Amino acid sequence: MKHRLTDRFAGAADILAEIDARVPDTRDHLAETRTTVDTYHPKRLRLVVVEIIDETSTTKTFRLEHPEALPLPPFLAGQYLGVFFDGTSRPYAISSSPERLDHYDLTVRRVPGGRISNALIDTVAVGRELTTTGPMGVFHHNPLFHGSDLIFLAGGSGVAPAMSMIREIVERGLDRRFRLIYGSRRCTDVIFRDELDTLAATHPGIDIHHVVTEPAPDWTGTTGLLSADTISALAGPLDGRMVYVCGPQALYHYALDQLTALGHPRKRIRFEANGAPSDPTRAPQWPSDVDPNTEVSVVIGGKSFRTPRNRPLLDALEDNGIRPETACRSGECSLCRIRIVEGEVHTAAEAELRLSDARFGYTHSCVAYPISDVELEL
Ligand SMILES: Cc1cc2nc3c(=O)[nH]c(=O)nc-3n(C[C@H](O)[C@H](O)[C@H](O)COP(=O)(O)OP(=O)(O)OC[C@H]3O[C@@H](n4cnc5c(N)ncnc54)[C@H](O)[C@@H]3O)c2cc1C
Ligand code: FES
């Protein structure tokens, strides 16, 4: 006896006949999907420097456009681009507004002795093409969870994502309060000072407070570090407001202590570090009998080389012409993941590893250091 389900539904035979009569679908859905994904989340962008703005004596903004002046992929204020340069890469936050997709601005501060910040500032001229990642990162406003009354503690170049968030509020006319408490060493180090002050004066929802540690004699603003007292005085009661923190690694530990002292819950603090993770050899997990300056050997894909124990594995691989995918270089994005086949590796606390990574021997090479001779797999 036949048990066809379609026999039990009136009109089912007509529908089946109609389906059979349809022109076969020959579209390449996979390729179409790939094109759409690449348009919005490209792995690589070729961008041309169209303008360079001197922000302070140590900071320049590079304005980047598509070589054919096409619109750039959308991004969320707070996200960054990985910039590939001189055989390596560095992440830089987009400081321009997500409302304007004809360009991205990257605001780069010189780090004394730093390889790429100095190379960008000293050698890149208008007309130069740069390869970057598409916009990346999770350090951005989420209207559902973060609310519309926000505090941002910035240190140094950590003001770049805040600038993008502020420009977005202004240009999109968003109903959002934004209070920036921005710490700098000297008054002359304050990036975007004039624009920030003008926006604060003309937009009631935007409050800007500059705080300097080494004030000039004519400085009348707040001085010192971004301490609990300063935060309270400038932001008032935190009342569960979302607090973003962006700046050097040291600011994270300091700001976290200050916010904790104010009773602010950790889940209402979002952080992004604009510098390398703290010295791994000072971490409590670093074995006390291991000299960080001595070398170990690394074997990977049939190649072997020696590298110092205190050099991140990602840098060591790049030194030897091996280029894992990278973006954040701070342990967060997981693109630089490698498997440790053999040997011992110290992974900095900054690495946001999955629970399964430890079980199956994976780590994030940008914040992982070889303690012993190691064999790795990409
Ligand atoms: C998500 C993200 C966004 C970032 N956005 C910006 C940005 O908008 N603007 C910007 O200027 N930088 C930004 N940075 C920092 C940037 O990626 C580089 O780390 C920085 O430019 C230094 O690179 P370098 O090659 O010059 O120094 P390196 O040669 O990598 O480092 C040299 C030495 O300086 C130390 N160091 C590295 N960075 C810093 C720092 N910021 N402060 C103090 N010491 C440091 C290192 O520990 C090392 O010992 C961002 C970093 C991250 C992770
Ligand atoms: S590059 Fe992002 S985790 Fe290493």
Side-chain angles (χ1 to χ4, degrees):
M1 191 180 156
K2 244 174 19 164
H3 282 293
R4 282 194 24 179
L5 198 57
T6 45
D7 293 344
R8 302 184 184 191
F9 294 95
D14 293 341
I15 293 168
L16 287 175
E18 193 203 311
I19 291 171
D20 287 343
R22 275 186 199 161
V23 181
D25 181 359
T26 53
R27 277 169 53 194
D28 187 343
H29 291 277
L30 207 64
E32 283 178 19
T33 307
R34 173 56 41 215
T35 308
T36 308
V37 170
D38 285 347
T39 306
Y40 291 100
H41 304 285
K43 236 174 155 178
R44 293 286 180 274
L45 287 167
R46 290 288 298 163
L47 300 172
V48 62
V49 179
V50 294
E51 192 181 345
I52 299 176
I53 303 157
D54 284 314
E55 302 287 1
T56 71
S57 63
T58 56
T59 308
K60 287 185 178 178
T61 290
F62 296 89
R63 179 154 295 178
L64 307 172
E65 281 184 7
H66 189 281
E68 286 137 43
L70 297 176
L72 297 167
F75 69 96
L76 296 165
Q79 288 191 302
Y80 64 85
L81 299 183
V83 177
F84 295 91
F85 203 81
D86 191 21
T88 181
S89 69
R90 295 290 182 271
Y92 291 100
I94 304 173
S95 56
S96 48
S97 164
E99 179 65 7
R100 301 197 191 175
L101 294 177
D102 56 330
H103 69 270
Y104 296 143
D105 282 349
L106 301 184
T107 300
V108 181
R109 166 155 281 172
R110 202 185 276 285
V111 168
R115 180 171 155 203
I116 300 304
S117 59
N118 288 285
L120 290 171
I121 288 174
D122 293 335
T123 67
V124 170
V126 168
R128 170 88 182 241
E129 280 208 358
L130 294 175
T131 302
T132 72
T133 64
M136 307 271 306
V138 293
F139 184 74
H140 54 75
H141 178 252
N142 179 328
L144 218 51
F145 299 109
H146 300 184
S148 56
D149 191 355
L150 312 164
I151 297 170
F152 197 119
L153 307 182
S157 61
V159 73
M163 193 69 224
S164 181
M165 291 179 181
I166 292 170
R167 286 172 167 155
E168 179 189 28
I169 294 170
V170 170
E171 289 175 14
R172 292 190 169 153
L174 300 178
D175 183 15
R176 204 174 280 167
R177 284 190 65 80
F178 194 97
R179 187 175 296 259
L180 173 67
I181 303 178
Y182 176 20
S184 300
R185 205 160 140 213
R186 291 171 296 250
C187 326
T188 48
D189 291 332
V190 181
I191 309 171
F192 307 127
R193 185 170 167 189
D194 291 345
E195 185 177 348
L196 285 170
D197 291 346
T198 306
L199 291 175
T202 49
H203 293 81
I206 294 172
D207 286 302
I208 308 288
H209 300 279
H210 303 293
V211 181
V212 295
T213 50
E214 295 175 20
D218 61 346
W219 178 258
T220 53
T222 312
T223 59
L225 298 172
L226 305 186
S227 65
D229 286 348
T230 299
I231 297 169
S232 282
L234 300 179
L238 298 179
D239 283 342
R241 283 183 280 172
M242 185 56 80
V243 180
Y244 303 93
V245 182
C246 188
Q249 278 285 338
L251 178 65
Y252 172 61
H253 300 290
Y254 182 77
L256 197 58
D257 286 350
Q258 305 307 306
L259 292 166
T260 305
L262 291 171
H264 201 58
R266 176 66 187 84
K267 62 175 192 244
R268 301 302 288 170
I269 305 170
R270 297 188 51 79
F271 176 75
E272 188 159 81
N274 264 14
S278 2
D279 180 357
T281 63
R282 288 211 225 129
Q285 307 91 324
W286 185 274
S288 55
D289 56 343
V290 170
D291 180 352
N293 298 306
T294 50
E295 291 194 339
V296 293
S297 57
V298 176
V299 176
I300 182 165
K303 213 171 171 178
S304 84
F305 56 84
R306 293 188 68 74
T307 186
R309 286 182 159 98
N310 61 2
R311 187 144 180 81
L313 279 169
L314 176 59
D315 296 60
L317 294 172
E318 288 177 341
D319 294 344
N320 289 277
I322 302 164
R323 306 260 151 74
E325 195 59 32
T326 72
C328 74
R329 298 187 87 95
S330 52
E332 174 250 314
C333 74
S334 85
L335 285 178
C336 66
R337 211 159 155 264
I338 49 164
R339 192 166 83 83
I340 304 141
V341 182
E342 219 174 306
E344 202 188 336
V345 163
H346 165 80
T347 300
E350 285 81 358
E352 292 186 17
L353 297 182
R354 282 175 265 185
L355 285 177
S356 58
D357 283 339
R359 190 161 156 223
F360 295 104
Y362 285 93
T363 190
H364 295 176
S365 61
C366 61
V367 290
Y369 304 80
I371 300 273
S372 69
D373 291 343
V374 286
E375 185 181 342
L376 308 172
E377 189 181 79
L378 274 188

